[in-house]
Amino acid sequence: MGMITMKTLREVSWIAIFGIGATCLAIVIIVIMPIIFHDKLDLPQPKHQIISSGQTFATSFAVMVFAYGGHNVFPALASTLKDTRSYRHFMDAAYVCIVGLYLLPSIVPYIIFGQSVESPVLTTISRYATIGGKSYTVPVDLAWIAMLLHLWMTIPIINNPVFLWIEEITHLSNSRYEAPIRIVYRFIFLAVQAAVAMTLRYFDPIMGIIGATVISGTVFFLPCFIYLKLNWKNVGVSEKCWIYLVLLLATVGSVVGLVNAIVELMNAMNGTTIKLSDKVFFSILGSSTALTAVGLIFIFILIKKQNSSNVL
């Protein structure tokens, strides 16, 4: 209901409190339960390997890149702050918290379970919990519920900037029937999302393709290009180099994600288990990254020229 009836991100923000609570509960369980298993159950000796293959490392890096997919919410969130000057401090604090929340559930289970850990990690914890009995399965079930609540409560927050854009271009706030129109079109929007998620075949690889192509564009490339376009003369050389590096790394994540998603889609459609060799994989990755590196230089030069011409 929050997604349908609440107008702005400020009104929706209270949902984030419950989402954060659900996430923290899940993380606590994910971190504590493996330690309990290690002390109480007869677990096999874990095997650890830093990097199993180049493809595995590149895929892991791509997953980290796509973890930033929710950043399209931040500008809308900044607009709701009473003092927008505090936005940078808010972002710094948020990143510190997020890094901590990411590291704990990724490091501790791997130390305990080693290479047998699965994705999502709750799958592995659930498997070992069944060995210990009900006293172990109840906390794990709570973690699954918490993650479900987290995902459910994220929907209004992620969709709200889109709704605000739609209402801005349609001037919905000037309509006499603003409230009922908002409820109807948002309900239809949500229903379409649910229908696609439930009925689309090969949902995971298709979402992987969309994520690999869209997320980098909307989260990395467009914001960086717009920022440079508006502030070219005020951006130092070191910051420009940093932006260039960020965009190169985003390209690596996009290419890896796109290649893996296409291969996964082909396997799902044909019932095969195709796997690219390291030579083919890194040939695709290297050539596309090199082209992007050259393309970014031309784009930077173009932005610089446009800014110079505007001054003249």
Side-chain angles (χ1 to χ4, degrees), residues 14-296:
W14 66 269
I15 299 178
I17 298 175
F18 295 96
I20 292 171
T23 303
C24 290
L25 173 62
I27 289 174
V28 168
I29 294 173
I30 290 171
V31 171
I32 291 178
M33 291 306 293
I35 298 175
I36 295 175
F37 292 160
H38 183 265
D39 294 335
K40 302 294 184 181
L41 301 180
D42 185 20
L43 298 179
Q45 186 66 26
K47 295 180 180 180
H48 299 98
Q49 191 171 5
I50 302 302
I51 301 176
S52 59
S53 70
Q55 287 195 47
T56 303
F57 175 79
T59 302
S60 301
F61 177 78
V63 172
M64 293 298 295
V65 171
F66 297 146
Y68 291 87
H71 286 203
N72 60 321
V73 175
F74 291 161
L77 185 62
S79 66
T80 66
L81 296 175
K82 291 182 180 180
D83 182 9
T84 54
R85 292 175 297 179
S86 62
Y87 176 69
R88 181 169 183 174
H89 302 294
F90 156 77
M91 288 297 300
D92 291 340
Y95 274 117
V96 171
C97 293
I98 290 172
V99 168
L101 292 175
Y102 273 12
L103 287 178
L104 281 174
S106 61
I107 293 175
V108 174
Y110 184 71
I111 293 175
I112 304 297
F113 301 120
Q115 289 181 250
S116 63
V117 71
E118 300 172 76
S119 179
V121 67
L122 277 175
T123 305
T124 304
I125 297 176
S126 298
R127 187 175 71 250
Y128 286 105
T130 56
I131 301 174
K134 190 173 182 180
S135 60
Y136 295 114
T137 57
V138 171
V140 176
D141 291 340
L142 285 176
W144 280 113
I145 294 171
M147 291 310 300
L148 177 63
L149 289 175
H150 162 77
L151 294 173
W152 183 253
M153 292 175 180
T154 302
I155 295 175
I157 300 172
I158 294 296
N159 281 287
N160 191 264
V162 179
F163 293 151
L164 294 178
W165 175 75
I166 292 174
E167 293 172 15
E168 180 182 354
I169 63 174
T170 57
H171 304 288
L172 181 61
S173 58
N174 298 329
S175 174
R176 292 175 54 189
Y177 307 102
E178 176 184 357
I181 291 176
R182 177 177 295 111
I183 293 174
V184 170
Y185 97 81
R186 290 189 179 190
F187 177 80
I188 294 173
F189 197 94
L190 179 59
V192 170
Q193 286 182 329
V196 170
M198 291 187 295
T199 60
L200 183 64
R201 294 185 66 190
Y202 316 120
F203 182 82
D204 285 347
I206 290 177
M207 286 297 99
I209 293 173
I210 294 174
T213 53
V214 174
I215 287 180
S216 284
T218 57
V219 175
F220 294 102
F221 286 91
L222 285 178
C224 286
F225 290 153
I226 293 172
Y227 174 71
L228 290 174
K229 170 67 177 176
L230 297 176
N231 304 282
W232 180 264
K233 287 201 167 184
N234 298 323
V235 178
V237 175
S238 60
E239 188 176 358
K240 290 172 184 174
C241 293
W242 177 249
I243 291 173
Y244 183 85
L245 177 61
V246 167
L247 294 179
L248 271 184
L249 294 177
T251 301
V252 172
S254 294
V255 171
V256 173
L258 181 61
V259 170
N260 286 339
I262 292 175
V263 171
E264 184 181 347
L265 179 61
M266 292 173 60
N267 288 335
M269 294 176 64
N270 302 321
T272 57
T273 54
I274 300 172
K275 186 177 179 180
L276 294 180
S277 65
D278 283 350
K279 182 178 180 180
V280 174
F281 180 84
F282 284 105
S283 295
I284 297 173
L285 179 59
S287 59
S288 57
T289 304
L291 288 173
T292 303
V294 176
L296 286 174

